[in-house]
Amino acid sequence: MSKARYRVVHFGGSADEVESAFYEALQSGQVDQIMACWADEEDIVCVHPGGPRLVGALAIRTSFEEMLAHGVVRAYPERLRRIDSLGAAVHSVLERIDMVTAEGVQHAWVVSTNVYLKTALGWRLVARHASASRSEVAESAPPSQPLH
């Protein structure tokens, strides 16, 4: 991928654009581009499905390097729920993971919460918590009712 494709990550953009760049980098196996999506802060946090809490850029980078040493991650955001404010955005994402097996492409499902803050350098990922899900029907919502 060209550097121009990731310009949004380097110069600001929106939380949605940074999230899109993050998933594109996962799919192409580019650790530098994945890390360009993260804030340059000591307390950034990432939890991969079934894994421990990783704190700091070095721990997070190392985990993605280990993950991508086995090949790219074919993670595709399927459904997104978001809460946005002036300086923060929280995205709850249902991810479809495509895995190539002897029987063909199989799907796994992950539910991720991605938290973005607007920094001096633009929107950046500050926390990500991903959990395995049993199916694409990974959410439950009661019927909508008025709050007041």
Side-chain angles (χ1 to χ4, degrees):
M1 301 245 159
S2 70
K3 287 185 181 182
R5 178 128 190 173
Y6 289 97
R7 184 173 308 174
V8 63
V9 175
H10 296 291
F11 298 113
S14 68
D16 288 337
E17 291 170 314
V18 174
E19 187 160 78
S20 178
F22 174 79
Y23 285 106
E24 288 175 17
L26 265 180
Q27 295 162 14
S28 62
Q30 297 186 17
V31 175
D32 287 340
Q33 297 305 328
I34 290 170
M35 294 311 298
C37 297
W38 286 86
D40 188 19
E41 301 288 335
E42 291 180 25
D43 291 331
I44 58 176
V45 178
C46 182
V47 178
H48 297 299
R53 180 174 68 167
L54 305 169
V55 180
L58 181 59
I60 294 169
R61 179 184 190 88
T62 300
S63 73
F64 280 109
E65 288 172 343
E66 290 170 358
M67 184 185 311
L68 293 169
H70 305 288
V72 299
V73 176
R74 296 179 181 187
Y76 301 95
E78 289 284 310
R79 280 184 263 166
L80 170 66
R81 293 191 177 263
R82 64 170 61 88
I83 300 170
D84 295 310
S85 70
L86 292 176
V90 179
H91 293 184
S92 177
V93 184
L94 176 63
E95 302 171 357
R96 184 189 80 236
I97 312 297
D98 291 348
M99 301 172 296
V100 179
T101 69
E103 294 82 36
V105 176
Q106 302 293 315
H107 303 297
W109 301 94
V110 172
V111 177
S112 295
T113 302
N114 299 326
V115 180
Y116 301 89
L117 291 181
K118 190 167 187 181
T119 72
L121 298 174
W123 288 92
R124 293 293 186 269
L125 187 57
V126 295
R128 174 175 165 79
H129 189 141
S131 299
S133 179
R134 289 179 278 149
S135 74
E136 71 277 7
V137 185
E139 64 183 283
S140 175
S144 181
Q145 298 177 1
L147 293 176
H148 302 282

